[in-house]
Amino acid sequence: MAYKSLEIENLDFYQLESLEVGITSNCNFQCNYCCAYQRNDAQFISGKEIIRILDDIPTLKRIRLSGGEVTLKYQDCLDVVTYCSTRGISTQLNTNGSLLNEDRIRRLRDAGLSNIHISFNFTSADKFSAYYKLPGSVYEKILNNIRLCVALKLETVLETLLFVETQNNIIAISECVYQLGVRIHEIQNGIMIKHSGWNAITARDELKRSMTELIEMKQVDTVLYLTCMDRFFEALGLREQQDVHFSRCIDGKKQLHLHSNGDVLICELCHPVVIGNIYQGTSLKEIYLNKPAPLTDFLNKQPCLALDALYPNGYM
């Protein structure tokens, strides 16, 4: 399955085709934009348990392993990737990249990992250290691990979150992504995250300027995925074109989030509403046949925090 293919195709019906699994909410970073549900609650879910859950969902096409930092539970990740490969389920690993090494990357690739998704917001060790309060050596290790992923021919996606420190440096970040050998760059639009307190939203004009410049400067062999902009990109005067995709939101429609304590959420990032718990009788196999009331309400209203932040009074 191509990266983000579920977000590009038409949403003709609702069923569970993608599951994001929060293996652990613990992390070796303390990012102030982190949206992890129940962050650092010491909960985790084993690979064996995840496989048991997945075995009961015949409609699945993709699994995203997230955290916290997923590689704190590396073996569990490897077990899930191996299982999914036998079922033809696409797998994505969301990581900060700091705990990887050549052996770990090689084993994930050989197990059948579809793609590795690494956060990438800064172009120098100094800027990285100033923001994350971590040694510059961590940044250098992440760069090396990105290069290893590319060299080992593991599909690699670098994601940049838009906030003040990145929106004004987006071209330099894009150039750095390209120099690292990565040809898939995802831009995550900043949104207000009530449960984490994050509210560093890019102003409308700045978003239009930075994305226009990014698209114009895009290398011909690079694919851009622009996330949390699908509801208003045309209002900004932007347009989809070859290898420039405004990824459609499938949260609550084809994708749900499973936390390590069993809670099922509509979306960990934008709409962390609990709609059930697999240890309290919720069936993921039947969740769209017998929709919980909060899920029905979400599907009827289809709220969008990114749209509300930029166009509080609408844009029509």
Side-chain angles (χ1 to χ4, degrees):
M1 174 182 290
Y3 182 68
K4 288 278 189 183
S5 61
L6 292 179
E7 285 83 354
I8 294 173
E9 65 185 29
N10 290 328
L11 294 172
D12 298 325
F13 56 91
Y14 303 139
Q15 73 173 11
L16 187 57
E17 297 184 359
S18 178
L19 186 65
E20 185 173 70
V21 182
I23 287 188
T24 176
S25 63
N26 293 338
C27 190
N28 60 329
F29 281 22
Q30 294 295 322
C31 308
N32 59 2
Y33 54 76
C34 180
C35 66
Y37 173 69
Q38 304 284 17
R39 182 175 174 176
N40 291 322
D41 64 359
Q43 296 279 347
F44 72 92
I45 186 168
S46 71
K48 182 178 180 180
E49 178 66 0
I50 294 170
I51 291 168
R52 183 192 69 78
I53 294 163
L54 301 185
D55 235 0
D56 191 46
I57 313 173
T59 55
L60 277 179
K61 296 180 180 179
R62 182 180 72 193
I63 298 298
R64 288 169 147 179
L65 300 175
S66 67
E69 175 48 43
V70 292
T71 55
L72 289 170
K73 298 295 179 182
Y74 174 80
Q75 186 59 50
D76 295 290
C77 292
L78 192 64
D79 291 345
V80 173
V81 170
T82 301
Y83 163 82
C84 287
S85 294
T86 67
R87 277 189 57 187
I89 297 172
S90 177
T91 47
Q92 175 179 318
L93 192 77
N94 295 340
T95 175
N96 59 40
S98 65
L99 301 179
L100 295 169
N101 56 43
E102 183 172 356
D103 178 64
R104 285 186 159 195
I105 295 167
R106 191 183 299 276
R107 290 170 67 195
L108 285 167
R109 181 203 64 184
D110 292 347
L113 182 65
S114 303
N115 63 75
I116 191 161
H117 183 276
I118 302 174
S119 301
F120 190 78
N121 295 314
F122 295 100
T123 57
S124 72
D126 288 344
K127 291 179 180 178
F128 174 93
S129 295
Y131 191 83
Y132 293 112
K133 311 303 181 188
L134 291 168
S137 58
V138 176
Y139 179 77
E140 297 301 333
K141 183 178 182 182
I142 292 170
L143 290 188
N144 186 57
N145 285 332
I146 292 170
R147 295 188 186 100
L148 284 169
C149 289
V150 173
L152 291 170
K153 308 218 179 289
L154 176 58
E155 184 173 80
T156 305
V157 180
L158 297 189
E159 180 190 68
T160 302
L161 173 66
L162 287 181
F163 53 101
V164 173
E165 288 83 351
T166 60
Q167 70 187 35
N168 297 323
N169 198 39
I170 195 65
I171 298 303
I173 293 171
S174 177
E175 290 172 348
C176 189
V177 168
Y178 194 84
Q179 290 166 6
L180 287 167
V182 176
R183 297 297 180 262
I184 303 177
H185 191 190
E186 181 169 3
I187 309 299
Q188 170 66 56
N189 185 28
I191 62 171
M192 292 185 183
I193 307 174
K194 295 179 182 179
H195 61 286
S196 71
W198 175 259
N199 62 358
I201 306 303
T202 302
R204 195 186 306 171
D205 290 344
E206 280 300 304
L207 180 61
K208 178 179 180 177
R209 179 199 59 77
S210 60
M211 292 302 96
T212 298
E213 188 176 6
L214 179 65
I215 293 169
E216 289 176 349
M217 299 294 289
K218 184 186 82 67
Q219 299 286 346
V220 294
D221 56 345
T222 291
V223 183
L224 288 177
Y225 291 93
L226 309 178
T227 303
C228 288
M229 304 180 211
D230 59 304
R231 298 275 286 271
F232 52 80
F233 71 92
E234 291 176 326
L236 288 175
L238 303 173
R239 62 182 181 85
E240 288 193 305
Q241 51 193 275
Q242 182 69 34
D243 294 331
V244 176
H245 304 286
F246 289 88
S247 312
R248 295 171 179 83
C249 178
I250 64 169
D251 290 308
K253 304 162 191 173
K254 291 194 174 185
Q255 177 172 273
L256 297 173
H257 179 90
L258 175 64
H259 186 60
S260 49
N261 67 0
D263 283 347
V264 180
L265 285 72
I266 292 174
C267 173
E268 184 182 41
L269 175 63
C270 301
H271 205 73
V273 174
V274 177
I275 58 173
N277 186 292
I278 60 168
Y279 301 126
Q280 297 173 15
T282 301
S283 169
L284 290 174
K285 179 181 180 180
E286 298 179 354
I287 201 161
Y288 282 95
L289 297 175
N290 303 295
K291 298 184 189 70
L295 179 57
T296 298
D297 183 63
F298 174 84
L299 292 172
N300 288 337
K301 296 178 180 177
Q302 300 207 13
C304 176
L305 293 181
L307 176 63
D308 293 344
L310 263 67
Y311 294 92
N313 300 313
Y315 58 84
M316 300 303 291

